[in-house]
């Protein structure tokens, strides 16, 4: 949840003269969202952020839809996505609609030859395997297993990985990513009942002003195309900035679960929200403590939303035949529930160590060609007794 933050050197008043030691002006830039009506930051560059030297031919990275309409419980074996050296080429969209795209990625190499900017979507990158550093003009954020990296649209970034073993679960949101409204008071502060607070947020540190001229390749995504831009100055030339618009991170391990005497519904696990979808975190927690409670989830019908569950780690009381990196998609319109036998087996258990990310979109998801290639075709039969 972004709060006011500042790094580097900024002038006393905004939109006033701010000069370099040689007397020339630094270049001020307003980075704003939803016009001028939402979060923004003021950035001060060593050079204007507009010096374009070349623009190459754009190329499409639009997801290739294999199954537009379907009513079938589906399972994808996410770790069957093959690793690739290049970060952008490794990103494989698997489930998409007009509000969000869900991708899997297994990049081997750090981004060294180019920078990337998603100008059409906020990105939430869940780090399933790997560690490293998110580098931006706003500063650096160290990341590790279990971190959600929240990168607002328009942020130029590079990912530096510590080694070649990396697995990412990526959500591109065509609306801003925010903390749920019910967790925030009228001033935007996270309230006492929220399962996380501002102390849990990792904000950028170690701002490094890179004052360089040359040829800097920035790949910019817009409307499903990648535009290869060459700028004449390094994009991380920030000398200072302040505001509410910047990348940040939150660890799933810092999510404090909400429990009760009987089974709690999925909204207690909500972590973020976008337009027409929510992101939830399932973490280790005490089971229900009513003397007659049934810890396993009840059968439920998704009338208005699909349900996506990405399995991260641990044991799941509702289903034992899952593997790390598996995705299940339960489409709206038909019920789903625990696997046969798991309800009775769950009775009397006091704790679960499951770790998973759930997404509930309120528009149906479509499966891509990359999704169909890693599909477990028999999953929909897994409730047969």
């Amino acid at each position: 949840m972004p709060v006011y933050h500042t790094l580097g050197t900024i002038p006393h008043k905004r939109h006033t003269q701010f000069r370099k030691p040689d007397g020339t002006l630094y270049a001020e830039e307003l980075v704003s969202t939803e016009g001028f009506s939402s979060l923004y930051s003021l950035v001060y560059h060593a050079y204007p952020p507009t010096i374009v030297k070349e623009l190459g031919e754009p190329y499409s990275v639009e997801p290739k839809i294999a199954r537009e309409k379907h009513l079938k419980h589906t399972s994808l074996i996410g770790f069957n996505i093959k690793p690739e050296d290049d970060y952008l080429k490794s990103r494989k969209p698997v489930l998409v609609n007009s509000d969000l795209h869900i991708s899997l990625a297994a990049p081997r190499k750090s981004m060294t030859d180019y920078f990337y900017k998603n100008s059409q979507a906020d990105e939430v990158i869940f780090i399933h395997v790997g560690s490293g550093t998110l580098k931006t003009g706003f500063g650096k954020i160290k990341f590790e297993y279990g971190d959600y990296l929240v990168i607002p649209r328009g942020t130029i970034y590079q990912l530096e990985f510590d080694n070649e073993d990396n697995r990412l679960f990526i959500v591109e949101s065509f609306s801003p990513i925010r903390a749920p409204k019910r967790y925030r008071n009228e001033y935007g502060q996270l309230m006492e009942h929220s399962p996380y607070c501002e102390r849990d947020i990792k904000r950028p540190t170690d701002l490094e002003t890179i004052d360089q001229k040359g040829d800097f390749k920035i790949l910019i995504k817009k409307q499903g195309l990648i535009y290869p831009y060459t700028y004449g100055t390094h994009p991380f030339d920030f000398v200072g900035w302040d505001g509410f618009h910047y990348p940040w991170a939150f660890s799933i391990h810092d999510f404090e679960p909400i429990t009760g005497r009987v089974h709690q519904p999925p909204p207690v696990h909500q972590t973020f929200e976008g337009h027409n979808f929510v992101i939830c975190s399932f973490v280790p927690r005490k089971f229900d403590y009513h003397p007659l409670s049934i810890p396993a989830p009840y059968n439920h019908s998704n009338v208005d939303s699909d349900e996506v569950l990405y399995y991260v780690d641990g044991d799941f009381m509702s289903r034992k035949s899952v593997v790390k990196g598996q995705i299940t998609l339960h489409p709206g319109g038909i019920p789903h529930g625990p696997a046969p036998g798991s309800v009775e087996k769950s009775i009397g258990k006091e704790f679960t160590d499951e770790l998973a990310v759930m997404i509930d979109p309120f528009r149906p998801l479509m499966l891509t060609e990359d999704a169909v290639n890693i599909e477990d075709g028999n999953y929909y039969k897994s409730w047969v007794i």
Side-chain angles (χ1 to χ4, degrees):
M1 177 63 193
V3 296
Y4 177 80
H5 191 41
T6 182
L7 285 176
T9 304
I10 59 175
H12 175 65
K13 293 285 288 184
R14 57 186 177 181
H15 316 322
T16 59
Q17 297 177 32
F18 183 33
R19 296 188 180 275
K20 303 178 184 180
D22 66 4
T24 59
L25 288 168
Y26 289 112
E28 183 183 45
E29 178 189 13
L30 173 69
V31 183
S32 62
T33 59
E34 298 181 284
F36 292 84
S37 302
S38 192
L39 301 182
Y40 69 91
S41 287
L42 281 168
V43 174
Y44 297 89
H45 296 268
Y47 304 97
T50 52
I51 304 173
V52 177
K53 297 178 72 174
E54 296 288 343
L55 174 57
E57 285 296 318
Y59 57 91
S60 177
V61 289
E62 198 74 33
K64 297 179 180 178
I65 304 302
R67 194 179 302 155
E68 182 179 356
K69 299 178 181 179
H70 62 100
L71 192 62
K72 175 187 175 184
H73 292 323
T74 301
S75 176
L76 310 177
I77 309 304
F79 278 20
N80 283 350
I81 291 290
K82 295 180 180 180
E84 296 192 38
D85 286 346
D86 182 73
Y87 168 67
L88 286 185
K89 290 180 181 177
S90 76
R91 291 167 52 129
K92 307 298 183 186
V94 290
L95 301 170
V96 301
N97 67 17
S98 59
D99 298 310
L100 75 160
H101 289 178
I102 298 172
S103 298
L104 298 169
R108 292 194 189 98
K109 304 295 185 182
S110 299
M111 300 165 64
T112 56
D113 298 332
Y114 65 88
F115 305 83
Y116 177 58
K117 177 167 73 170
N118 194 331
S119 286
Q120 70 179 34
D122 286 20
E123 295 191 350
V124 179
I125 303 175
F126 179 78
I127 310 299
H128 192 170
V129 177
S131 61
T133 304
L134 169 65
K135 295 182 174 181
T136 74
F138 295 95
K140 301 175 183 179
I141 299 176
K142 295 282 189 180
F143 62 81
E144 58 189 352
Y145 163 60
D147 279 344
Y148 293 99
L149 296 177
V150 182
I151 306 175
R153 71 199 61 202
T155 302
I156 299 172
Y157 72 86
Q158 288 182 320
L159 289 178
E160 180 180 270
F161 299 105
D162 291 334
N163 56 57
E164 294 193 353
D165 186 15
N166 303 288
R167 290 281 176 179
L168 312 176
F169 178 75
I170 303 172
V171 178
E172 292 180 79
S173 171
F174 304 119
S175 60
I177 292 291
R178 295 181 174 133
K181 289 182 180 179
R182 68 179 183 279
Y183 294 166
R184 295 178 276 134
N185 62 27
E186 62 179 310
Y187 304 104
Q189 183 182 16
L190 290 166
M191 293 191 285
E192 279 289 296
H193 69 272
S194 171
Y196 58 95
C197 73
E198 286 82 2
R199 293 185 191 181
D200 300 318
I201 302 303
K202 300 180 184 180
R203 292 177 282 173
T205 61
D206 302 324
L207 187 145
E208 178 185 4
T209 303
I210 303 179
D211 186 342
Q212 292 180 9
K213 294 181 179 180
D215 295 327
F216 300 93
K217 185 177 182 181
I218 302 176
L219 300 180
I220 303 176
K221 186 175 182 179
K222 184 74 172 181
Q223 294 178 302
L225 297 177
I226 295 287
Y227 292 85
Y229 269 79
T230 301
Y231 278 82
T233 57
H234 199 287
F236 299 165
D237 69 340
F238 295 24
V239 296
W241 65 273
D242 76 332
F244 287 72
H245 178 88
Y246 53 85
W248 51 283
F250 170 72
S251 174
I252 195 172
H253 304 298
D254 286 330
F255 186 89
E256 298 300 331
I258 299 170
T259 59
R261 275 175 32 100
V262 296
H263 190 83
Q264 298 297 293
V268 302
H269 307 287
Q270 188 179 348
T271 312
F272 310 117
E273 66 183 16
H275 179 64
N276 283 333
F277 73 95
V278 299
I279 300 176
C280 301
S281 300
F282 286 84
V283 301
R285 62 194 182 278
K286 286 280 189 182
F287 272 144
D288 325 312
Y289 43 87
H290 187 284
L292 296 178
S293 68
I294 300 176
Y298 35 75
N299 297 297
H300 55 287
S301 292
N302 295 17
V303 177
D304 294 318
S305 71
D306 288 0
E307 178 192 280
V308 174
L309 200 62
Y310 178 75
Y311 295 92
V312 179
D313 210 345
D315 296 322
F316 291 82
M317 77 291 202
S318 60
R319 182 171 293 275
K320 295 301 180 184
S321 58
V322 297
V323 294
K324 293 181 181 181
Q326 183 175 347
I327 295 175
T328 56
L329 166 64
H330 301 134
I334 51 176
H336 70 278
S342 60
V343 173
E344 192 70 44
K345 288 181 180 179
S346 75
I347 295 175
K349 293 188 177 181
E350 297 183 355
F351 186 84
T352 177
D353 64 351
E354 67 187 19
L355 203 64
V357 178
M358 189 180 79
I359 299 174
D360 280 358
F362 295 99
R363 297 184 200 270
L365 290 165
M366 298 175 284
L367 276 74
T368 68
E369 292 179 2
D370 287 311
V372 171
N373 289 338
I374 59 170
E375 181 180 6
D376 173 4
N378 291 318
Y379 174 74
Y380 73 98
K381 298 179 181 179
S382 62
W383 288 270
V384 175
I385 299 175

